[in-house]
C-alpha cells in the first residue's frame, strides 16, 4: 500500500500563494492518478484537483479553476498543488489521494494525513 505525506500548508493572507506537496512511498507511484481534496470545519470533504499517472491529464473543481494548478514529478514520487489568489473560503485541511484514474479519483485508494491551509482576510 502506498503511504502519502503532505507538506507545505500554513497561514497566508488572502490573495497570497502556497504550494502543497505530497510525497509517496513505494515504487508504484507512477501507476496511479493523484488527487487533492479538502475539508473545511463542519463541511464534507470535497474534490479539488486530479492529475493522471503521466501528468498529461488534469481535472479541477470549478471553485479553484484558474487559481490552482496540479502537477506531478514521477521521478520524485511527488504531486504538487500550486495555489494562487487564495481566498478565505479556501481554508481547509488538504489531503492527497491515489486513485485508478482522474475520472474515478474519489473511489478506492490511499489517503495522506492532511495539511492545514488557513487564509486570512
Amino acid at each position: 500500500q502506498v503511504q502519502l505525506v503532505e507538506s507545505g500548508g500554513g497561514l497566508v493572507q488572502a490573495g497570497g500563494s502556497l504550494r502543497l506537496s505530497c510525497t509517496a512511498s513505494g515504487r508504484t507511484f507512477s501507476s496511479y492518478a493523484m488527487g487533492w481534496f479538502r475539508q473545511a470545519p463542519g463541511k464534507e470533504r470535497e474534490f479539488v484537483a486530479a492529475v493522471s499517472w503521466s501528468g498529461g491529464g488534469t481535472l479541477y473543481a470549478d471553485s479553484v479553476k484558474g487559481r490552482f494548478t496540479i502537477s506531478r514529478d514521477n521521478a520524485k514520487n511527488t504531486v504538487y498543488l500550486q495555489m494562487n489568489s487564495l481566498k478565505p473560503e479556501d481554508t481547509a485541511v488538504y489531503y492527497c489521494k491515489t486513485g485508478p484514474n482522474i475520472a474515478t479519483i474519489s473511489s478506492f485508494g490511499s489517503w495522506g494525513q492532511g495539511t492545514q491551509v488557513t487564509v486570512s482576510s
Side-chain angles (χ1 to χ4, degrees), residues 34-74:
M34 295 296 300
W36 286 97
F37 292 74
R38 66 187 182 186
Q39 187 167 19
K43 295 187 177 181
E44 293 187 354
R45 192 172 297 187
E46 64 176 3
F47 167 76
V48 175
V51 61
S52 64
W53 67 270
S54 68
T58 57
L59 195 62
Y60 294 94
D62 288 343
S63 59
V64 307
K65 204 171 291 184
R67 299 188 298 122
F68 290 11
T69 302
I70 189 170
S71 62
R72 67 190 295 163
D73 185 339
N74 287 341

Side-chain angles (χ1 to χ4, degrees), residues 92-114:
V93 177
Y94 283 71
Y95 301 88
C96 66
K97 180 186 181 294
T98 64
N101 56 67
I102 60 174
T104 59
I105 193 66
S106 299
S107 65
F108 64 89
S110 299
W111 291 90
Q113 84 291 347

